[in-house]
Amino acid sequence: MKFIDLFSGLGGFHVGLKNNGHECVFSCEIDKDLRDLYESNHGVRPHDDIRTARESEIPAHDILCAGFPCQPFSLAGKKKGATCPESGRLIDHVVRIAKHHKPKFILLENVPNVLTIENGQFWNYVRSSFELIGYKMDYRIISPVDLGIPQNRKRVFILGTRSDVKNESFKWPSASDEGIIKVSLNEILDNSLHHKKLEIKKSDTLLLWQELLNGLNIETLSGVSIVAPEFGANYPENFVNLSLKDMRQYKGAYGQSLERCRTWSELLSHIPSYAQKNKKISPWILKSVRFSRNLYQENKGLCEKWSKKLNKINNSWQILEWRGDHTKHVIGNHVVQFRASGIRVLRADVAPSLIAMTPTQIPIIPSESRYVSKYEAAKLQHLHTLKKLPEKNNAAFKALGNAVNAKIIELIGRNLTSINSHASTINSV
Ligand SMILES: C[S@@+](CC[C@H](N)C(=O)[O-])C[C@H]1O[C@@H](n2cnc3c(N)ncnc32)[C@H](O)[C@@H]1O
């Protein structure tokens, strides 16, 4: 089949569908560097802005693919939905092109939040726009880890089938499909590829946290974070109704005395940032604050000695978000991310989602004191066959974080091929 690749980025749709023998006849991408890269990797020069792509200049095709920009819909973005002037309504251009060409299939990909934003109104708008021009719409939320690839990355895949095309035999890919092999993160990692070393300050901080874990001998760390500023603190969980005088009897972060604080702003500078807003501990961290205060009570000497060594310049390095092995607390056996909320320790079998907006969340392999390389990240997106990736690390991670996982597209494409050949047989009979 012939396909077009709208908002083509690195070409996740292209790689996935080409692996099934389909042919790309048009693509568009507004970013000049990505257009150049697409041309060198795939031999097709993308048009620039979808808004200026004239229907008559786009060749006829069987599959229209569009990974429309997700920033307005993702939970991490500003959630402006279709009202976002820059890219919220780019979907209208996809509908315009589909209305003119009437391809057999429309394949869209986005963050799952696209289904629920504005109480589902945006999704109703997208679905009814395609239904009005003669398509049956269906969708499935799929993560690469469901199909044997070690990356957690839930995305919604939306399939529109032209009303006259019989698609009863179409099946969304699943783990039990033929040829799906489970790959572990270890098999993806390749120390010989060029990678960035972890900064000394970060590796020292990880070593220090490990020292604490070894000393504490905690039986199980499940779903809680260790919040170091709570070592020695006893300020109330909610102090919105307390006076400055009442507060002076308590201890702030790391047991700092509040006794001499003359103003609220002076006092709040001794209270951790997660408790400053509305003068109460934010609910998302409350359970971990209680856990950490108990931990301190049971291990006062150790916690005090340890917290003197901790680098307190960076707020988020003072919180260890444990999402890893519940019983063996060895950071080196995990994958780590330095996130704005804290240092997150994750199981080493599956990589966290590669995301485009913050290159600071590039996964770290602590046992090798290094970041995951862009080549390994490309394998996590099934884009390892690309001849070229963006040269700069941040640009490469941004593009890879924006890309659709090519393995999922390959598997969807395989199932579309089987409906298409079935339909052609019926037509020729
Ligand atoms: C979510 S990414 C899609 C990535 C792609 N599916 C892949 O596999 O790499 C959205 C892409 O749309 C591009 N884009 C944004 N606005 C555009 C526009 N008006 N016309 C064409 N491309 C646009 C962005 O530069 C970005 O690369």
Side-chain angles (χ1 to χ4, degrees):
M1 287 189 274
K2 292 192 171 19
F3 68 92
I4 65 168
D5 190 2
L6 305 177
F7 313 104
S8 54
L10 280 180
F13 282 102
H14 192 118
V15 171
L17 291 181
K18 196 170 173 204
N19 289 350
N20 281 301
H22 302 306
E23 182 199 353
C24 180
V25 291
F26 178 85
S27 65
C28 81
E29 169 54 58
I30 205 159
D31 182 297
K32 157 98 173 50
D33 293 342
L34 289 176
R35 280 203 301 279
D36 293 345
L37 205 64
Y38 196 94
E39 189 174 13
S40 357
N41 280 326
H42 308 295
V44 176
R45 177 78 194 166
H47 174 84
D48 48 14
D49 192 337
I50 192 167
R51 291 168 292 195
T52 59
R54 298 231 292 269
E55 300 91 310
S56 56
E57 284 164 17
I58 300 176
H61 49 275
D62 307 285
I63 315 175
L64 177 158
C65 304
F68 53 108
C70 65
Q71 268 89 336
F73 316 111
S74 75
L75 285 167
K78 292 195 183 92
K79 292 201 227 167
K80 282 192 194 151
T83 53
C84 174
E86 265 170 46
S87 43
R89 279 292 170 97
L90 289 176
I91 193 71
D92 290 349
H93 293 273
V94 179
V95 178
R96 167 174 70 81
I97 294 166
K99 187 174 175 190
H100 180 91
H101 283 283
K102 289 285 175 66
K104 288 181 186 133
F105 304 110
I106 290 163
L107 188 52
L108 312 174
E109 181 249 10
N110 215 299
V111 289
N113 194 33
V114 79
L115 300 172
T116 50
I117 191 157
E118 296 172 339
N119 294 322
Q121 281 184 61
F122 180 73
W123 166 234
N124 280 340
Y125 173 75
V126 172
R127 196 186 50 204
S128 56
S129 302
F130 285 108
E131 282 172 354
L132 270 174
I133 60 165
Y135 285 85
K136 296 170 278 185
M137 304 303 285
D138 188 14
Y139 67 83
R140 184 63 56 96
I141 293 174
I142 309 176
S143 174
V145 73
D146 303 337
L147 302 172
I149 302 161
Q151 186 194 172
N152 276 315
R153 181 186 183 78
K154 279 192 183 154
R155 290 293 182 269
V156 61
F157 293 82
I158 300 167
L159 177 67
T161 309
R162 207 174 61 205
S163 312
D164 60 311
V165 176
K166 299 233 169 310
N167 75 340
E168 289 75 22
S169 60
F170 176 78
K171 256 179 66 243
W172 290 102
S174 77
S176 56
D177 287 359
E178 199 190 314
I180 290 189
I181 303 161
K182 198 169 172 214
V183 179
S184 76
L185 184 58
N186 259 334
E187 288 170 77
I188 296 257
L189 297 180
D190 184 345
N191 213 1
S192 68
L193 297 173
H194 180 76
H195 56 254
K196 193 175 153 210
K197 283 298 272 176
L198 188 60
E199 299 83 346
I200 305 262
K201 275 189 183 159
K202 286 187 180 169
S203 57
D204 284 351
T205 302
L206 292 180
L207 285 175
L208 193 69
W209 273 105
Q210 188 59 56
E211 187 187 309
L212 181 74
L213 291 170
N214 295 345
L216 289 176
N217 219 347
I218 303 166
E219 217 168 90
T220 169
L221 251 184
S222 153
V224 280
S225 304
I226 303 182
V227 189
E230 295 304 321
F231 292 171
N234 68 357
Y235 64 91
E237 290 174 4
N238 183 337
F239 49 94
V240 68
N241 293 322
L242 295 193
S243 68
L244 194 57
K245 191 168 157 239
D246 293 333
M247 283 298 280
R248 287 201 191 109
Q249 60 185 301
Y250 294 107
K251 293 203 164 119
Y254 297 103
Q256 295 172 84
S257 168
L258 302 178
E259 207 181 337
R260 289 166 192 264
C261 294
R262 297 221 179 102
T263 61
W264 267 107
S265 79
E266 193 187 339
L267 186 135
L268 286 175
S269 71
H270 298 297
I271 298 281
S273 53
Y274 48 75
Q276 291 181 10
K277 199 173 159 213
N278 303 328
K279 295 185 179 159
K280 69 180 220 191
I281 298 175
S282 297
W284 62 271
I285 202 169
L286 188 56
K287 185 174 159 204
S288 300
V289 164
R290 289 178 183 157
F291 171 79
S292 307
R293 286 187 182 186
N294 272 342
L295 210 58
Y296 170 80
Q297 288 306 330
E298 287 161 13
N299 304 273
K300 269 190 189 165
L302 173 71
C303 291
E304 270 169 22
K305 220 164 122 196
W306 176 85
S307 54
K308 285 201 182 90
K309 293 188 258 177
L310 184 66
N311 178 340
K312 304 199 183 57
I313 295 169
N314 207 320
N315 275 341
S316 57
W317 297 10
Q318 301 173 46
I319 298 176
L320 190 73
E321 301 178 340
W322 195 268
R323 304 277 189 281
D325 189 326
H326 291 338
T327 51
K328 286 199 196 94
H329 306 127
V330 181
I331 296 176
N333 295 346
H334 291 79
V335 171
V336 167
Q337 281 177 308
F338 277 74
R339 298 169 70 102
S341 55
I343 300 173
R344 187 167 289 183
V345 184
L346 297 146
R347 297 178 71 94
D349 47 355
V350 184
S353 181
L354 298 171
I355 61 164
M357 274 174 277
T358 51
T360 51
Q361 288 182 24
I362 296 173
I364 288 162
I365 311 299
S367 57
E368 292 165 14
S369 237
R370 69 172 180 91
Y371 289 88
V372 160
S373 72
K374 60 182 179 180
Y375 307 103
E376 292 163 334
K379 289 195 211 170
L380 290 171
Q381 288 288 56
H382 206 63
L383 290 173
H384 50 285
T385 51
L386 293 182
K387 281 179 271 177
K388 279 191 189 170
L389 289 173
E391 211 165 299
K392 296 223 166 78
N393 221 35
N394 283 358
F397 273 91
K398 181 174 177 216
L400 287 162
N402 258 333
V404 61
N405 189 286
K407 182 74 186 179
I408 299 179
I409 297 302
E410 185 180 315
L411 294 167
I412 294 175
R414 185 169 79 177
N415 296 353
L416 289 181
T417 313
S418 69
I419 322 180
N420 190 53
S421 52
H422 185 62
S424 327
T425 324
I426 293 171
N427 289 344
S428 61
V429 171

